[in-house]
Amino acid sequence: MEMISDIWDGVCAVMKRNGMSQTAFEVWIRPIEPLKIEDGEMVLVVNTDFQRKTLMDMYADKLQEAFREVLGFPLGLRIETKAAVPTPVEVPATPVQGNGYPQFAEGEDYSFENFVVGPSNKFAHAACLSVASKPGGMYNPLFIHGGSGLGKTHLLCAICKEIKKNNPTARILYIKGDTMTNELVEAIQTGSTVEFHAKYRQVDVLMVDDIQFLSGKTSTQIEFFHTFEALHSAGKQIVLTSDRPPKEIATLEERLRSRFEMGLLADIQAPDLETRIAIVLRKAKALDLPLSNEVADYIANQIKSNVRQLEGVVKRMRAQSLLGGEAPTLVAAQNAIRDIRNDNQPVPLTVERIISEVARTMSVRPEDIRSGKRSAPISRARQVAAYAVRHITSLPMENIGDEFGGRDHSSIVYAIQTVEKKMEQDPNFRHLVNDIIKNISDS
Ligand code: ADP
Ligand code: MG
């Protein structure tokens, strides 16, 4: 018990340090009772369902972030109410396990009805509708690509729901590209590749979200190629998403690339102003926030390229109105936009950024990573940083060495291999590294 309260004190300190206002802290965080850690999840208890829902909507990400900072590894989060029958809520903290439905935070309804269609996404939307109504039909595979936060996962989930509605017994497998890679590594290690094959080849619909994670993963690509062939020739539907088109995925086997391109490629662009306004109004309505057209217009004019951020502004305004009774006026919108911008500094994907993220997560200083210091924590962080740089930027080994104080090519190769080996052996370490990469790639 001692340990949990220590962890919790640390988390509270991080929440405050990360800019949570005193009032918000007192209202939302202070009343939380940290209960236990169970099955890799932190269980928190609050008094009312309203508290629970608000925490899930507004603070789940920040809390998880804080736990990770305190513990050094990610932990799932479950918030329960004191009511007689606790209602656990899952947040997809660790990668979604690939055994069925995409899982999203409660309250999200990623359906076709809730997807706002505009010129930037209407082609992808139509393709998804077609696939949902006739899986294994004309568009196979369907490959959707577009930047982060533009609705790819939303559309996959909508397809899933629609197919399930029409055919409740359909076997649908949704999996993230990186989770699939991890599963395969595990299967190879534990000698359970037969189960792995079976799992992937017995489905009617296979959806792999963020397939760009297969880049550079040779064994996963080989395995996936055979899975793809087996499913495709049996007329099973395959839907893939990526943040870029197949031809821009580095180190993707040629035969996979050509398979990805043989069906339908559909891209999603950043939404235009009208679509953004419609999305803001739609999200506000879903959250019961009375938003005037003028304010919606203002928000949509300010935030242009990421729907996730548009949504973030609306959620923040709702929290403000619940918390301080602040009406959703233009001023409230300005404040919320400023907060969101501060949270999502558009940091370019540079080595700089990677090193600072690794340093933060692994509790060392960025300058140590660039230095020649050899203490174990610093060496480990440096290896992870080298791995992350390679994974994210595909920079040649020589150039990576330059970024780490002129190390030569072979020491970078060694660092990357060491990380790969440890990732195979130690699931916690693997999650840590994948999480760092995901954090950097998402921002
Ligand atoms: P991606 O997978 O492309 O990174 P997501 O599907 O996770 O993006 O979308 C991010 C958020 O934006 C989700 O909450 C989603 O519901 C919302 N969103 C994106 N596009 C739309 C849209 N056209 N209509 C409604 N919501 C959208
Ligand atoms: Mg996504």
Side-chain angles (χ1 to χ4, degrees):
M1 272 305 124
E2 195 67 86
M3 186 187 81
I4 297 222
S5 70
D6 282 348
I7 296 173
W8 182 244
D9 287 345
V11 166
C12 289
V14 173
M15 294 294 286
K16 283 194 208 154
R17 196 191 67 216
N18 286 352
M20 190 166 189
S21 78
Q22 187 64 29
T23 319
F25 183 87
E26 293 299 326
V27 174
W28 300 114
I29 306 298
R30 179 81 71 203
I32 297 175
E33 190 186 316
L35 187 63
K36 59 184 171 186
I37 296 180
E38 189 182 58
D39 300 329
E41 287 185 317
M42 180 80 210
V43 184
L44 304 176
V45 181
V46 291
N47 279 319
T48 65
D49 202 52
F50 174 65
Q51 285 173 309
R52 186 182 62 83
K53 272 190 93 67
T54 308
L55 285 166
M56 291 308 299
D57 280 351
M58 305 303 304
Y59 295 110
D61 291 351
K62 293 218 157 57
L63 279 168
Q64 286 191 305
E65 184 74 36
F67 274 115
R68 206 189 53 195
E69 184 166 326
V70 170
L71 296 169
F73 58 86
L75 202 60
L77 192 63
R78 201 161 89 215
I79 303 179
E80 297 183 349
T81 50
K82 281 209 179 105
V85 192
T87 34
V89 174
E90 312 284 347
V91 189
T94 41
V96 177
Q97 288 310 305
N99 46 11
Y101 241 114
Q103 291 157 30
F104 300 97
E106 193 195 59
E108 305 286 12
D109 186 9
Y110 287 171
S111 57
F112 282 119
E113 293 76 45
N114 290 335
F115 191 82
V116 176
V117 184
S120 60
N121 59 29
K122 73 169 191 283
F123 185 66
H125 174 260
C128 289
L129 268 183
S130 161
V131 161
S133 66
K134 197 170 181 305
M138 248 189 320
Y139 306 134
N140 201 10
L142 172 60
F143 191 105
I144 305 163
H145 62 93
S148 171
L150 295 183
K152 301 182 296 294
T153 299
H154 186 136
L155 283 173
L156 282 193
C157 187
I159 295 178
C160 214
K161 282 195 169 145
E162 188 66 23
I163 295 179
K164 283 266 174 202
K165 198 165 76 190
N166 301 334
N167 177 7
T169 60
R171 290 164 303 181
I172 305 176
L173 180 61
Y174 165 94
I175 191 154
K176 298 244 177 223
D178 46 345
T179 309
M180 186 166 79
T181 306
N182 292 341
E183 278 190 6
L184 179 67
V185 170
E186 232 159 80
I188 292 172
Q189 262 169 21
T190 56
S192 55
T193 43
V194 175
E195 286 86 347
F196 182 90
H197 284 171
K199 171 175 163 185
Y200 282 88
R201 291 180 200 184
Q202 280 171 6
V203 300
D204 302 311
V205 181
L206 175 63
M207 302 183 168
V208 186
D209 201 1
D210 291 321
I211 193 116
Q212 75 271 8
F213 276 107
L214 263 60
S215 164
K217 306 285 169 21
T218 314
S219 49
T220 312
Q221 289 187 22
I222 293 172
E223 181 59 40
F224 187 66
F225 174 77
H226 294 296
T227 303
F228 185 104
E229 291 290 277
L231 290 175
H232 194 264
S233 63
K236 309 297 191 187
Q237 179 70 47
I238 298 165
V239 188
L240 308 167
T241 74
S242 167
D243 62 355
R244 62 203 91 158
K247 66 173 185 305
E248 285 172 23
I249 303 179
T251 61
L252 183 67
E253 279 198 44
E254 196 43 49
R255 55 182 181 170
L256 265 185
R257 193 188 315 275
S258 67
R259 294 302 181 289
F260 291 174
E261 286 172 345
M262 75 195 220
L264 185 69
L265 290 182
D267 72 330
I268 305 185
Q269 303 285 336
D272 63 4
L273 180 64
E274 279 70 34
T275 312
R276 295 200 300 278
I277 295 175
I279 291 174
V280 168
L281 288 171
R282 180 81 60 98
K283 299 284 175 190
K285 187 149 179 269
L287 292 172
D288 263 336
L289 182 76
L291 205 61
S292 70
N293 288 339
E294 187 201 4
V295 175
D297 206 284
Y298 177 76
I299 299 170
N301 265 299
Q302 292 293 315
I303 299 202
K304 302 205 165 108
S305 57
N306 190 317
V307 179
R308 198 173 281 128
Q309 288 187 12
L310 279 180
E311 202 173 6
V313 171
V314 178
K315 283 187 177 173
R316 214 166 266 239
M317 289 175 71
R318 191 191 53 154
Q320 291 304 329
S321 89
L322 292 176
L323 198 83
E326 192 183 347
T329 57
L330 209 55
V331 174
Q334 281 166 346
N335 289 335
I337 290 169
R338 198 190 49 231
D339 288 352
I340 291 277
R341 290 228 171 101
N342 287 340
D343 285 358
N344 302 283
Q345 299 266 349
V347 207
L349 262 191
T350 56
V351 176
E352 195 70 50
R353 163 101 176 98
I354 295 171
I355 288 179
S356 80
E357 176 72 17
V358 172
R360 194 180 63 76
T361 315
M362 299 183 73
S363 307
V364 303
R365 294 180 314 170
E367 50 284 19
D368 289 339
I369 292 185
R370 290 186 188 274
S371 77
K373 291 187 190 160
R374 290 181 173 272
S375 78
I378 294 177
S379 299
R380 170 103 317 147
R382 188 180 298 126
Q383 290 168 347
V384 169
Y387 174 89
V389 169
R390 174 72 178 170
H391 188 93
I392 293 170
T393 65
S394 308
L395 213 61
M397 299 288 184
E398 288 77 11
N399 304 26
I400 298 179
D402 293 343
E403 299 290 339
F404 293 87
R407 288 188 153 64
D408 68 16
H409 157 258
S410 64
S411 75
I412 297 297
V413 173
Y414 173 77
I416 291 172
Q417 282 171 350
T418 309
V419 172
E420 281 171 349
K421 201 181 270 155
K422 190 161 164 60
M423 284 174 79
E424 280 174 21
Q425 288 158 354
D426 177 353
N428 277 337
F429 181 74
R430 184 168 68 234
H431 287 146
L432 174 82
V433 176
N434 285 336
D435 226 57
I436 289 173
I437 289 175
K438 190 168 175 320
N439 267 344
I440 301 167
S441 315
D442 277 356
S443 60

